[in-house]
Structures are given as C-alpha cells and as structure tokens.
Amino acid sequence: MQKHNGEKYYITTPIYYPSGNPHIGHCYTTAACDSIARYKRMQGCDVMFLTGTDEHGQKIEQKANEAGVTPKAYVDKIVEKFKSLWQYMNISYDRYIRTTDDYHVAAVQKIFKDLYDKGYIYKGEYKGKYCTPCESFWTESQLVDGKCPDCGRPVVEAKEEAYFFKMSPFAERIEKLLTETDYLRPKTRALELVNNFIKPGLADLCVSRTSFRWGIPVTFDEKHVVYVWIDALSNYITALGYGNDRYNDYDTFWPADVHMVAKDIMRFHAIIWPAMLMALDLPLPKHLAVHGWITFDGKKMGKSLGNVVDPFMLGERYGADAIRYHILREMALGADSSFSNEIMINRINTDLANGLGNLVSRTVAMAEKYFGGTLPEQQQSGDFDDDLIAQATALSAIVDEYVDKTQLNKALEAIFNVVARANKYIDETTPWILAKDESSYPRLACVLYNLLETIRIVSTLLSAFMPSTMPMVWEQIGADKDAVAYDTTDTFGTLPRTVTVHKGAIIFPRIDVEKEIGELNKLISTAQTASAKPAEKPAVEKKASGAAEKPEGVAVIGIEDFMKVRLCAAKILACEPVKKSRKLLKLTLDDGTGERTVASGIAQYYTPDELTGKTVVLVSNLKPAVLCGVESNGMILAADAGDDVKVIFLEDIAPGSLIR
Ligand code: ME8
C-alpha cells in the first residue's frame, strides 16, 4: 500500500490536433491518464493532469480555408467537442492547454530564441520528403515503400528556407536514456528507435516554416513560423508556467512522472523532446509510456474512421464507464488492440453485467431478503473466508504496481480476478442453503459481510477507472466516504458489522448480443456510407490475366476477416512435454506484453531444446482452450511439409511485433 502524503505527480496526454472530431483513439490515452491521475489522487498525491489541443499547422490552416473560416474559429469549434467529450467521459484534467493560448505562444517564442542564442538552432534550407497530414519530413531511408512511415500516405518533395534544431550533440545521451534507463516503456521499442534513428546519425530537425502562416511567429525572423514540434512539445512545460507568468507550477511539478502517447508520436517524445530539454538544460521527464493503436478492420482508428466508432454514440448506448473499462481492459501496453463491437459487448456482459454487476446485486439482494437489509451483529467465520480475504486485501498492492507501470489492462484484470473469486465464494458458501436453517444465520451474516467488504475494496480501486458508476455501488453496499478511502483497501473490517444495504438499480444491464450487434451494424454501415470515399475497384478486377487461381474448396475471405486474426512475434521462454499427451508440447511464450502458455501439437517433430529461445508466429487472439489439462492461449504457426511439420521461426523480430 502506497501513501503519498501530498507527493507531486504530473501526468500528461498528448495535445491532440483539433483538425477533426475526437474519436475513440483519443479516448484511450485520455481515459488511461485520467485513471492513473485519479488513482494517484486516491493514494494521496498532489496531481497535475494535463491535456489539451495542438492547434497550429498547415493542415489546420487548409481545413479552415476549406471551411471558409479563420483557423482560430475552426479550432475553437472542435476544441469545444474535445472538451465536451472529456466531460462526458468524466475526465478529471486539472489543466487544459491550447497552443493558441497567449501565454504558450509567448513562452514558445522565448524557448525558440533561447535555443537559437545557445547555437542549437541555425538557418538552412530544407529539401526532403514531406508528409502533409503528419506534418513530418522524412529521410529517404525512413520511408516505407516510398510512403510516410507513420501513416502510410504519399509524401511530396519539399524545399524551403528553414531553421533547424541540431540533434547530433544529444545523440549519445539519448541513446543511453533509451537503452540504459527506464524512460521508455515498453523498453522493447528502444532498440527500434536506436537502430532506425540514432545509429544512422540523428538528422537535424526542421523547426520553422515559411510556406504557411498559421503558427507561432519566430520573433527575430517574422516570415518564419515555429513548426510543429517545438510548439507542441513545449506545452508540457509552458502549461506549468515555464517561460510565462500565467502559472507558477513549473518548480513544483516538473519533471513529469509520465507522458503517455501512442506509437505514432513515440519518436518525437523519445528523441526530440529529450534533446530539446537537454538543450535547454532542463531535467528530463521520468517516463514515456507508449501504447499501441486501437484499430478497426485492421486500420488505425483515426479521424476518417472516427464516426464509425463514435465515442458519444457508444457512451449513450452502454455508459461512459463501460466504454472506459472496455478500452482500458483491451489494450496491453505496447501492443495494438483491434476494436470490435462484439468483443466490447461480450466484455461488458461478462465482466461488468455478470461479474461485478451480479456480485453486487446478488449480495445486496441476499442481505435484504435474509436480514431485511441490515446485517445482525453476531457473526461467525468459516471455510473459504481466509482465501477470499487474503486475495481482496492483497489487491491494492498489485494494482499499485500495475498503475505505476502504466499497465492498466493488468490492473483491471487483477481487480476482476477478485470479483470472480468473490462470485466463486458465493457458490462455495451457498448462502441460500445457510438461510434455510436459523442456526446458520451467524455464518450467513458473515458470508454476506465478507462479500460486502470485498465489493467495497474492489469498487474503491475501480473508482479510478470507472468513476461514474462506483458511487452507485457504494450507495448500495452502505459504504460512506470514509469507507471507500484508498488506505482502507488493504484491510477487512471497515464497513460496520451491522451495515445496512440499499437495493438500487442494476449498474450494468446485460446486453442482448445479437440484437445489439444487428443495430450497431446498421449504424456503422450508415456512418460508413456517409464517410465513404469513392469505392476502389475490387482487387481482382485490377489483376492481369496471370491472376492466381485459388485452390478448389477454399473460401475467399475479405481483408476484414483476415484482419480479425492477430498475429505477432513471440519468444519461446520454456518448453516441456504435456504429460497426458504424445503430441502436445507446453510452451511458455513472451508475447511482448507478458507471458502466456500455448499447447502445440508438435511433440513428434521437435524436442523442447530445439524450440526454447526461438521466436515464432503466434495467433494471439484465439479463444483459450484446455488441451490435456493445459490451458492454451493461442496457437503457433507451422507449415505442413508432407511427412514433416516445420514451425515458422523468426529472426531479429522483437516479441509483440505485429505480423500482417
Ligand atoms: O499527434 N489508438 O495529435 P493527434 C490509440 N498533436 N490512440 C490513438 C489513436 C488510436 N487509433 N489515434 C489517436 C498529435 N490516438 C500531436 C501530438 S503531443 C506534444 C502532440 C491518440 O490528434 C494517441 O495518444 O494525432 C496518439 O499518440 C494521439 O492520439 C495522437 O493525436
């Protein structure tokens, strides 16, 4: 149990581009930071949680021109949408920065000038490949198939007078930061950055532009505006008052504890931001947590797909907390997470309606039915209590650790393991049988008390993740404010023995899966039609006469079906035969996010030694199955080579890397 007594804690989301409406991808990072901020406040930290919008740049200027309004009028409207979404999602940010705010503008001008005066910014001419949507220049070697490595869109040649930020003086320190410290999470990404960007020689960064006006003017050369990253990244310090008088929190909160971003902007936060801070002689942030993308039909959820999975629409149907829970539970740090309505609805049903919801409603209903709502004083402990109590009181320490590691899916998994344990406890103790015999009432009261205490602990910890619904749980279990303080979560016995419960509404109603999917599909196809670009001709039509024939009897599937299969690299950490089987080997795999077990039918073709240490292709989203007593979580790919079976081995690919 951590108690922080006012210790400072500073967490930030990226500042989002208000070039289109916020979507579920933005919700992920923001809900994740919000949950951490709330958790840290519960632990007693003095938290600063910053979010905001990154409002300058060519793309916004273009969009505003298209809409026939000024860039400021354009962003004002969208910023309102971000703010109302955050309100709707119950995001408890302490500060919202807009890069068009005067204090930020003045501070960025000062930072730019300081860097120039120190000799880290110089004037040159930029020639290169430029991705307009990402506002990024790329070197030839960084392009993927000639296209932008971040978004996959075409790049154009660009050339203009520009100021540059010298990166090379910081290369060595940054390499050390990435490889020798805990700055970047997950660490597996460090190698990729070092190999792709640092080893080939860090290119200087273009930091001003003359070809558009919607930016912060460079004070000493007014035809230039500050270009993207010095403006955007500085927000993390200007919002605290660095370089301005608007706030006075820089000394209190800097360096940040966590910057959270997705992998699209990892490079800027892992390399450029530390370099800027080094150049300014400022301390570096403690951690950069990089998560993957929420994808839909295999594509990154982005503005064009935004209305297909509109967070307001989902929230209206299931409640903001259910959405928060689903996205936080699905995304493992570092890996992508494919958004599917079906998985979301099933998860809401399984974890929230059947798991937590049922636990609360059953317990409260039994307390009302058997004791009129108020438990009697006299109680008696018995079998199964110790295990439940041990698991419930150990939970906060586990959640603390996962929150500190920004592994929120694991924190939620741990909490729901205790929910499952409590539901099992009901089956083990059979309160309905105890209720038949008056002499068992003391035991029955004890069972219900233990359940209420477990619900109290679980819901207190969950309130950081699902802040709207947990107060409804507290109301039902008769817990007042003091009973749901974080520092009561590692002990049993906080609720009064004679607690009174209050039956209330069902917190998470069960969803009729089939009906709901039907309705959602209708909504989605309407949204897709509305946002559809002219349809591409089917691939088969484009093929010349040499098009490959598919083998007979093999169904053709669409890319959307293939994309449902999640393939990733996984390293075999250990391997052993399965006792009851001649065919199966039990593999322990590192899938980039943690360990998992897979049973594979290759015992006749490989010895454990031949497999241990190798990296293989894992189908990581197969439903778990129990094979000869081993729970198998996925499948590894192998080729059928006639009489032989050959596992597909990968070389130099980090566990967790997606394969498609
Ligand atoms: O990059 N899945 O703004 P942005 C998960 N202004 N997270 C996603 C996501 C998805 N499909 N799509 C977006 C910018 N995000 C710059 C940042 S910071 C100094 C400047 C989230 O509007 C995720 O956090 O493109 C990602 O890094 C961020 O939104 C990008 O937001």
Side-chain angles (χ1 to χ4, degrees):
M1 157 131 323
Q2 300 177 10
K3 289 182 195 167
H4 290 281
N5 299 333
E7 204 176 289
K8 307 295 167 196
Y9 189 88
Y10 180 31
I11 183 163
T12 68
T13 72
I15 45 170
Y16 305 112
Y17 290 129
S19 52
N21 289 339
H23 54 76
I24 197 95
H26 298 124
C27 287
Y28 175 79
T29 324
T30 313
C33 290
D34 181 61
S35 303
I36 297 173
R38 286 175 180 276
Y39 199 86
K40 287 285 155 193
R41 286 189 201 111
M42 272 195 336
Q43 287 180 323
C45 287
D46 179 7
V47 172
M48 172 67 75
F49 167 25
L50 175 73
T51 189
T53 27
D54 184 3
E55 305 186 3
H56 294 118
Q58 189 171 14
K59 196 168 156 195
I60 287 181
E61 190 176 84
Q62 277 168 1
K63 288 242 175 185
N65 284 343
E66 280 162 24
V69 293
T70 63
K72 181 68 168 55
Y74 181 84
V75 292
D76 280 351
K77 261 200 150 148
I78 297 183
V79 167
E80 276 320 302
K81 293 193 180 154
F82 272 91
K83 287 190 170 171
S84 65
L85 181 59
W86 299 155
Q87 193 177 2
Y88 186 68
M89 300 285 293
N90 217 337
I91 302 298
S92 63
Y93 58 80
D94 296 292
R95 201 158 286 172
Y96 190 102
I97 185 168
R98 300 184 57 175
T99 54
T100 48
D101 289 340
D102 289 348
Y103 73 91
H104 174 79
V105 169
V108 166
Q109 287 178 323
K110 194 167 170 309
I111 289 170
F112 198 94
K113 178 76 168 44
D114 282 354
L115 293 172
Y116 181 74
D117 290 344
K118 287 178 168 210
Y120 290 122
I121 283 183
Y122 64 93
K123 198 189 252 183
E125 187 180 62
Y126 192 83
K127 279 196 228 95
K129 307 286 180 190
Y130 179 66
C131 174
T132 312
C134 296
E135 304 190 22
S136 290
F137 280 101
W138 299 98
T139 62
E140 200 75 51
S141 66
Q142 288 166 344
L143 300 178
V144 175
D145 297 333
K147 299 204 169 123
C148 171
D150 273 353
C151 71
R153 282 178 275 209
V155 290
V156 290
E157 277 295 339
K159 177 176 156 189
E160 65 181 43
E161 178 189 288
Y163 285 94
F164 287 83
F165 175 56
K166 273 187 202 159
M167 295 291 294
S168 45
F170 312 106
E172 213 179 302
R173 273 178 74 192
I174 293 172
E175 182 169 346
K176 282 201 173 135
L177 174 76
L178 298 180
T179 54
E180 293 175 15
T181 75
D182 186 25
Y183 174 62
L184 182 62
R185 292 173 177 169
K187 190 82 174 275
T188 41
R189 294 209 186 267
L191 203 63
E192 174 189 329
L193 283 170
V194 170
N195 287 342
N196 291 349
F197 296 103
I198 300 182
K199 292 278 189 237
L202 264 184
D204 291 348
L205 179 75
C206 178
V207 289
S208 82
R209 303 298 303 273
T210 54
S211 54
F212 62 89
R213 293 312 307 153
W214 182 235
I216 298 178
V218 172
T219 47
F220 52 91
D221 195 347
E222 290 245 329
K223 70 175 184 295
H224 288 259
V225 291
V226 177
Y227 165 67
V228 187
W229 290 102
I230 288 195
D231 176 1
L233 290 163
S234 300
N235 94 86
Y236 299 129
I237 49 176
T238 63
L240 297 178
Y242 181 86
N244 66 79
D245 301 328
R246 168 76 174 271
Y247 297 111
N248 194 16
D249 298 311
Y250 173 82
D251 291 332
T252 316
F253 285 103
W254 191 256
D257 291 85
V258 174
H259 291 314
M260 189 178 289
V261 302
K263 61 187 182 182
D264 47 350
I265 50 174
M266 167 176 71
R267 174 171 74 103
F268 303 104
H269 286 77
I271 297 179
I272 290 165
W273 181 223
M276 271 177 67
L277 291 166
M278 287 171 192
L280 291 167
D281 272 324
L282 299 179
L284 303 184
K286 293 178 203 159
H287 297 296
L288 173 65
V290 181
H291 61 78
W293 286 332
I294 296 187
T295 59
F296 189 82
D297 279 353
K299 284 184 240 124
K300 175 180 177 248
M301 187 81 67
K303 278 150 197 138
S304 55
L305 277 174
N307 47 357
V308 173
V309 190
D310 174 7
F312 282 111
M313 181 271 278
L314 293 178
E316 254 157 51
R317 298 182 83 81
Y318 316 116
D321 272 4
I323 308 307
R324 284 175 66 121
Y325 174 74
H326 172 67
I327 54 182
L328 295 175
R329 180 74 181 78
E330 271 294 299
M331 178 92 83
L333 187 69
D336 284 349
S337 143
S338 151
F339 187 90
S340 135
N341 288 309
E342 207 166 334
I343 296 177
M344 175 181 61
I345 293 166
N346 281 322
R347 198 179 270 301
I348 293 174
N349 276 348
T350 315
D351 295 1
L352 301 183
N354 293 355
L356 180 64
N358 235 348
L359 175 65
V360 175
S361 59
R362 278 208 289 176
T363 305
V364 171
M366 288 191 289
E368 293 223 325
K369 185 168 168 198
Y370 302 137
F371 297 112
T374 302
L375 297 190
E377 180 74 64
Q378 191 197 8
Q379 307 200 353
Q380 192 180 80
S381 57
D383 287 347
F384 312 109
D385 293 4
D386 288 351
D387 187 48
L388 177 72
I389 295 171
Q391 287 205 31
T393 52
L395 183 60
S396 59
I398 298 171
V399 177
D400 287 355
E401 203 177 318
Y402 283 131
V403 168
D404 282 345
K405 289 188 190 156
T406 45
Q407 294 184 318
L408 302 187
N409 63 322
K410 301 238 176 187
L412 289 169
E413 189 183 338
I415 297 175
F416 276 82
N417 283 342
V418 175
V419 170
R421 181 67 194 85
N423 273 320
K424 191 169 157 219
Y425 176 81
I426 300 183
D427 299 337
E428 289 164 343
T429 52
T430 57
W432 52 93
I433 296 179
L434 298 174
K436 286 188 181 152
D437 174 2
E438 215 166 303
S439 68
S440 305
Y441 280 11
R443 174 64 185 143
L444 176 60
C446 175
V447 164
L448 295 180
Y449 183 79
N450 288 341
L451 287 168
L452 289 170
E453 274 291 280
T454 307
I455 294 170
R456 180 187 64 77
I457 290 173
V458 158
S459 58
T460 302
L461 298 173
L462 269 182
S463 65
F465 304 87
M466 296 197 275
S468 314
T469 36
M470 291 311 116
M472 290 158 63
V473 173
W474 299 335
E475 173 76 29
Q476 297 199 22
I477 63 167
D480 62 15
K481 209 165 141 268
D482 293 340
V484 295
Y486 164 81
D487 45 16
T488 63
T489 53
D490 66 346
T491 43
F492 245 52
T494 299
L495 288 173
R497 282 268 160 191
T498 56
V499 61
T500 301
V501 302
H502 310 277
K503 203 166 168 189
I506 291 179
I507 312 161
F508 297 107
R510 219 186 131 68
I511 303 166
D512 177 337
V513 182
E514 241 170 66
K515 189 164 154 242
E516 184 62 18
I517 295 281
E519 282 182 23
L520 277 179
N521 284 345
K522 263 192 245 152
L523 283 173
I524 287 172
S525 66
T526 318
Q528 268 170 336
T529 320
S531 66
K533 302 199 179 96
E536 282 200 359
K537 287 199 171 172
V540 67
E541 265 188 54
K542 287 191 203 147
K543 276 202 178 146
S545 53
E549 292 285 340
K550 68 181 173 64
E552 224 177 293
V554 174
V556 173
I557 58 166
I559 186 77
E560 69 284 4
D561 284 325
F562 175 70
M563 283 304 187
K564 285 182 193 157
V565 182
R566 185 175 183 279
L567 300 174
C568 72
K571 186 169 179 187
I572 303 179
L573 302 174
C575 176
E576 60 182 274
V578 172
K579 281 196 195 100
K580 290 182 224 151
S581 165
R582 278 187 312 125
K583 292 190 178 162
L584 288 178
L585 288 178
K586 178 181 161 193
L587 311 174
T588 307
L589 300 174
D590 170 7
D591 65 3
T593 61
E595 285 186 15
R596 65 161 82 200
T597 306
V598 166
S600 176
I602 49 173
Q604 287 151 304
Y605 309 100
Y606 290 91
T607 63
D609 280 349
E610 287 173 301
L611 293 170
T612 306
K614 296 262 169 50
T615 300
V616 292
V617 182
L618 169 73
V619 180
S620 66
N621 60 341
L622 262 192
K623 232 190 227 157
V626 177
L627 306 173
C628 293
V630 175
E631 191 191 280
S632 183
N633 296 287
M635 182 174 114
I636 66 163
L637 295 192
D640 185 351
D643 288 339
D644 204 353
V645 163
K646 298 232 159 109
V647 172
I648 300 169
F649 293 121
L650 302 171
E651 271 182 36
D652 293 328
I653 305 217
S657 307
L658 276 188
I659 297 167
R660 34 179 71 131

